[in-house]
Amino acid sequence: MGSYDTALKYFHELLKNKKTKNNEIELISIYNKLGRIYSKLKRYDEALKFFDKVLNLMPNNIYYINCKCNTLIKLGKYEECLELSDIGIEVDKNDSLIYSFRAESLYNLGYLKEALDSANRCINLCPYISAPYIIKMKILLDNQENEEVLMVSNEANKYKINEIKCKAFYLLSLNELNKDNFNFALELINEAISFNYKDLDSYYLRAYIYRCIFEYNLALNDYNFIINNNGNIAFSYYQCALIFKEIGKYRIAISYFNKVLEIDPDYPNAKEEIFKLQQRLNSYL
């Protein structure tokens, strides 16, 4: 975090320089760097402002259009991204990434056929990008075509996109979980982890499944793995606290809620949970 803060300060200082203000090429470079840094920090609203500044100076550059599309996707602004993808295709109809962002926007807006067409177009242009395969798998799952999901993952594997096989089983597991098929969901998520043991999303899902089938110790193991691998630490501590609360270990639960508050003093419901547990403990005195 410190290196990013230093970089932000440096580039913002450069923007105050008169020479920089009068040098359009330099401005574009700085705006782009600031947008990328804010994106890495997940401060997407601020990133968007700088990508807008870049595009005001260079509106027909497909790279910067894609940077803005990616940011709009992160913000859930799918209609804006879809509109921008139209412009991007006019600028360069053979750019694969613009079709990937278009596919994701269309999918989230509910236009599944159009999303599938854009995903296929992206894959035809460049089969080494993972996102369009994931969109295809989601659409197939929406249509209950589970076997086709694995066929798509096998197609991606030909191009050595290793995370796709993991993602395929993750999506299949999530699909079964939504139908309360906990044991089958567990089998599938274990399969996902076997393809990519570092995929934290799979551990989040498996921990949740373990909680659903009351395997609390196994759920705690997964949350600890997430914590030790720099996942969402506050969320994981909060889930651990809820587990200890469920099994009646209130003092341990309070200690975990306090860990959450050390990271994020405004974490939703953490203070209320501590208050309730303190009351419960006091009632035993």
Side-chain angles (χ1 to χ4, degrees):
M1 185 72 75
S3 60
Y4 287 135
D5 289 337
T6 302
L8 286 174
K9 184 177 179 182
Y10 172 73
F11 289 122
H12 277 292
E13 285 296 321
L14 279 181
L15 289 178
K16 297 175 185 177
N17 189 302
K18 283 186 179 181
K19 288 183 179 178
T20 302
K21 290 179 181 179
N22 295 324
N23 187 330
E24 190 171 288
I25 300 301
E26 184 72 12
L27 274 176
I28 290 170
S29 175
I30 293 170
Y31 289 152
N32 175 51
K33 287 170 182 172
L34 283 167
R36 288 169 60 109
I37 293 169
Y38 281 123
S39 292
K40 288 180 181 295
L41 292 170
K42 299 184 179 180
R43 292 161 62 176
Y44 298 116
D45 284 310
E46 290 161 284
L48 186 59
K49 292 176 186 175
F50 284 99
F51 289 132
D52 278 336
K53 288 177 183 288
V54 173
L55 287 172
N56 284 337
L57 296 172
M58 192 175 282
N60 294 321
N61 184 293
I62 192 63
Y63 170 77
Y64 296 129
I65 289 172
N66 281 328
C67 286
K68 182 175 178 180
C69 279
N70 184 51
T71 308
L72 290 169
I73 290 287
K74 299 291 187 186
L75 290 168
K77 296 184 176 184
Y78 303 117
E79 290 184 2
E80 285 185 52
C81 184
L82 183 59
E83 290 173 9
L84 186 57
S85 74
D86 287 335
I87 296 170
I89 290 168
E90 287 180 19
V91 170
D92 186 352
K93 65 180 180 181
N94 292 316
D95 181 82
S96 56
L97 268 181
I98 199 67
Y99 288 100
S100 177
F101 294 128
R102 184 176 180 79
E104 193 159 354
S105 298
L106 286 163
Y107 175 78
N108 284 288
L109 291 169
Y111 300 112
L112 302 189
K113 181 183 180 302
E114 294 85 350
L116 187 60
D117 290 342
S118 287
N120 283 329
R121 175 68 173 150
C122 177
I123 291 167
N124 289 336
L125 287 167
C126 180
Y128 300 97
I129 301 172
S130 62
Y133 293 102
I134 294 169
I135 293 296
K136 282 186 72 170
M137 291 191 295
K138 286 180 177 179
I139 293 168
L140 290 167
L141 275 177
D142 288 344
N143 293 327
Q144 298 299 312
E145 298 179 53
N146 291 15
E147 290 184 9
E148 296 292 322
V149 172
L150 292 178
M151 288 179 65
V152 172
S153 76
N154 288 333
E155 178 188 354
N157 276 349
K158 289 189 294 186
Y159 302 101
K160 301 189 185 302
I161 308 175
N162 296 327
E163 74 262 32
I164 293 297
K165 201 82 174 177
C166 172
K167 192 67 176 181
F169 281 101
Y170 173 91
L171 291 171
L172 289 167
S173 176
L174 187 61
N175 189 51
E176 293 303 320
L177 179 61
N178 289 335
K179 295 185 283 189
D180 292 339
N181 294 334
F182 301 120
N183 290 329
F184 190 28
L186 182 59
E187 287 179 31
L188 292 166
I189 201 61
N190 282 334
E191 197 73 24
I193 291 171
S194 75
F195 285 105
N196 185 0
Y197 73 93
K198 293 181 179 180
D199 181 59
L200 296 186
D201 285 344
S202 294
Y203 287 93
Y204 285 118
L205 185 58
R206 189 171 71 174
Y208 180 77
I209 296 169
Y210 279 142
R211 286 184 64 190
C212 290
I213 59 176
F214 311 109
E215 292 283 0
Y216 294 121
N217 285 333
L218 293 174
L220 289 169
N221 286 343
D222 278 351
Y223 285 126
N224 283 324
F225 179 87
I226 293 165
I227 290 165
N228 291 331
N229 287 275
N230 299 314
N232 189 330
I233 295 175
F235 173 84
S236 299
Y237 278 144
Y238 189 84
Q239 297 306 313
C240 289
L242 291 179
I243 289 173
F244 284 117
K245 174 187 170 184
E246 286 175 27
I247 62 179
K249 295 186 176 182
Y250 301 137
R251 295 188 190 281
I252 299 176
I254 289 171
S255 72
Y256 272 91
F257 283 127
N258 279 322
K259 288 181 180 182
V260 173
L261 292 173
E262 286 174 14
I263 299 169
D264 181 356
D266 298 316
Y267 198 94
N269 300 321
K271 292 176 184 176
E272 291 83 352
E273 289 287 353
I274 291 173
F275 180 75
K276 290 176 188 175
L277 290 174
Q278 289 286 13
Q279 282 192 318
R280 192 170 295 181
L281 285 170
N282 291 339
S283 70
Y284 297 152
L285 298 177

